Amino acid sequence: MSESFYREIFLKSKKSIDKKLSQFSTFEKKREYLNITLKNEILKSENEIRASFGKINCANCGACCSLAISEFSAETLQLKAKNGDKTASSFLETFTPYETIPKELLPAETDIKGCWFYHCTKVQFKDGKSFCPVYKNRPAVCRNFPDTPLENLPETCAYRPWKDENETKALFIKALNDIRNFYLEHLPE
């Protein structure tokens, strides 16, 4: 997904929100729209994505174990974990940073700038394929993966069709949330 595509989605979302906000004459009505109506629209879209996620079964291929991609460095994750972030703690209990990323593991569309790459030390290989030996008892960070269609997923991942089907909707949700949060902080009274 290109930056220009997200920018297009962001600008379209902003125009839609601005149009709706212009219909309200008071600060209270605008805030109500942002806090209730828009928030509920976003939650409805998120629930639709989650519902379609539940229809897919993991193929237990181990690809996500061999290449976990994070927007956070190991140091940042350690700081987050120290400050009580359970997701960061779970991630660090499961994944170790790569010293050198094997290029053959990267999905073709992966933009490696601003990303850190990790792997699970439990992943095993058999007949040239990776697999998870603790799949039935895997940690929450693995059970909940992918938690968004915006994740980088290899073509072989069983969730790839779900990602492809919902990625644009997830980008709209992200844009709407970003704009909504900005306006809630900066909306003039």
Side-chain angles (χ1 to χ4, degrees):
M1 197 68 49
S2 71
E3 277 186 43
S4 63
F5 184 63
Y6 178 69
R7 180 171 171 72
E8 180 183 320
I9 286 172
F10 185 91
L11 292 173
K12 186 176 181 180
S13 298
K14 183 180 180 310
K15 185 177 180 180
S16 172
I17 291 172
D18 288 347
K19 182 178 179 183
K20 191 68 174 177
L21 288 175
S22 72
Q23 296 173 4
F24 302 112
S25 58
T26 67
F27 171 78
E28 290 78 21
K29 288 289 184 187
K30 290 177 182 184
R31 186 168 283 286
E32 181 180 322
Y33 168 74
L34 294 168
N35 269 328
I36 298 171
T37 307
L38 183 57
K39 183 178 180 180
N40 286 337
E41 289 172 14
I42 291 168
L43 289 173
K44 181 181 176 195
S45 293
E46 287 174 342
N47 288 335
E48 289 168 0
I49 290 174
R50 276 192 206 97
S52 65
F53 177 84
K55 297 175 184 175
I56 299 165
N57 292 316
C58 175
N60 195 12
C61 70
C64 55
C65 306
S66 299
L67 184 66
I69 302 172
S70 176
E71 64 186 298
F72 302 111
S73 69
E75 293 79 19
T76 301
L77 287 169
Q78 288 167 350
L79 183 60
K80 288 171 146 304
K82 187 177 176 180
N83 290 326
D85 186 322
K86 291 180 182 179
T87 302
S89 294
S90 179
F91 188 90
L92 289 172
E93 289 169 7
T94 306
F95 296 101
T96 302
Y98 272 109
E99 291 193 25
T100 305
I101 179 71
K103 297 292 183 205
E104 69 274 6
L105 291 178
L106 287 173
E109 75 276 4
T110 303
D111 179 6
I112 62 172
K113 296 184 298 283
C115 293
W116 283 265
F117 303 94
Y118 301 83
H119 64 96
C120 177
T121 56
K122 292 180 181 83
V123 71
Q124 295 179 4
F125 297 89
K126 184 177 181 179
D127 300 326
K129 293 185 177 184
S130 59
F131 69 95
C132 178
V134 295
Y135 182 78
K136 291 187 189 276
N137 298 313
R138 66 198 184 282
V141 71
C142 300
R143 277 194 311 277
N144 298 330
F145 181 85
D147 62 352
T148 172
L150 302 179
E151 298 280 1
N152 283 305
L153 300 176
E155 293 292 332
T156 57
C157 180
Y159 290 98
R160 185 58 191 245
W162 170 79
K163 169 196 172 60
D164 293 343
E165 180 180 314
N166 290 288
E167 189 170 28
T168 300
K169 184 186 277 189
L171 286 170
F172 270 105
I173 290 169
K174 178 180 176 6
L176 291 171
N177 262 325
D178 289 347
I179 296 163
R180 178 182 164 274
N181 289 333
F182 177 84
Y183 280 170
L184 283 170
E185 288 179 24
H186 299 93
L187 195 65
E189 289 190 40

